[in-house]
Amino acid sequence: NFSAGDLGKWSVYSTLPVAARDQENEILLTGTWELAQAKGGLMPTLPDLSGLEWKRIRLPATVQYALFEAGAIPNPWYADNWKKLQWIHGRDWYLRREFRIPKEWSGRHIRLRFDGMDYTGAVWLDQKFLGLHEGMFGGPTFDVTAAVSDGAAHQLVVRLFHEADATSKDSGGS
């Protein structure tokens, strides 16, 4: 298990600013993902995710909005529903999806770039730990050239960590 002191050792910060989209040279990973509430502590090896309750969602979105769109929670903007949904912020969440690198990209330098995470996240590609990132905007960016194969399916998993709130009655949630 990682400790709080390990965050700095594994953190990845993007050296590249968020740039304009180039549809000929990038694959956008917006759209359909799967979301599940995380269990257990953070480990550099990806834990077994098979026993989790996965929901199909659409990204980009907040976890709360994605759960609402998936029909897993009531409308958070109706009446005082938001009060009943505060538990969401006290949990860690996994996001996952598969993607393929186009065969015609053979020999290219491949980067996996996030425009941001809300707020701290750990990233695995094909069950290999890539690193941690803290910060809503500007990264992380991972060089995955050696880790991906053209035309093959690759699985991306992100664990989003809740922000601990000492004033919350339910801040331990994962």
Side-chain angles (χ1 to χ4, degrees), residues 5-118:
D6 291 327
L7 284 175
K9 180 173 87 175
W10 288 98
S11 292
V12 178
Y13 297 93
S14 175
T15 58
L16 303 173
V18 175
R21 299 287 178 214
D22 177 1
Q23 296 194 8
E24 289 183 30
N25 292 306
E26 56 180 45
I27 303 166
L28 294 179
L29 297 180
T30 59
T32 304
W33 283 69
E34 292 180 296
L35 172 75
Q37 185 177 323
K39 308 279 187 211
L42 172 66
M43 296 180 231
T45 55
L46 187 61
D48 180 13
L49 304 177
S50 62
L52 301 178
E53 292 182 39
W54 293 96
K55 294 168 183 37
R56 293 180 66 79
I57 62 161
R58 296 199 48 81
L59 291 180
T62 64
V63 170
Q64 186 177 40
Y65 188 74
L67 288 169
F68 166 61
E69 277 195 318
I73 62 169
N75 184 337
W77 299 278
Y78 179 76
D80 66 350
N81 283 350
W82 66 273
K83 292 178 184 177
K84 301 171 199 162
L85 301 173
Q86 293 304 302
W87 62 269
I88 295 169
H89 304 292
R91 305 292 196 271
D92 291 356
W93 298 92
Y94 280 115
L95 295 163
R96 74 177 177 187
R97 81 164 284 161
E98 285 193 358
F99 67 96
R100 292 182 186 275
I101 302 297
K103 289 182 182 183
E104 57 271 13
W105 285 16
S106 181
R108 289 187 184 186
H109 192 86
I110 309 291
R111 290 188 188 104
L112 176 60
R113 184 184 80 197
F114 294 79
D115 287 341
M117 294 180 186
D118 189 9

Side-chain angles (χ1 to χ4, degrees), residues 153-171:
H154 298 284
Q155 185 180 64
L156 178 61
V157 175
V158 177
R159 181 171 179 162
L160 298 175
F161 299 98
H162 73 283
E163 279 192 67
D165 179 358
T167 63
S168 172
K169 294 178 188 173
D170 186 27
S171 62

Side-chain angles (χ1 to χ4, degrees), residues 114-123 133 135-137 139-140 142 158 160:
F114 294 79
D115 287 341
M117 294 180 186
D118 189 9
Y119 181 80
T120 301
V123 180
H133 179 74
M136 179 63 183
F137 302 105
F142 301 100
V158 177
L160 298 175

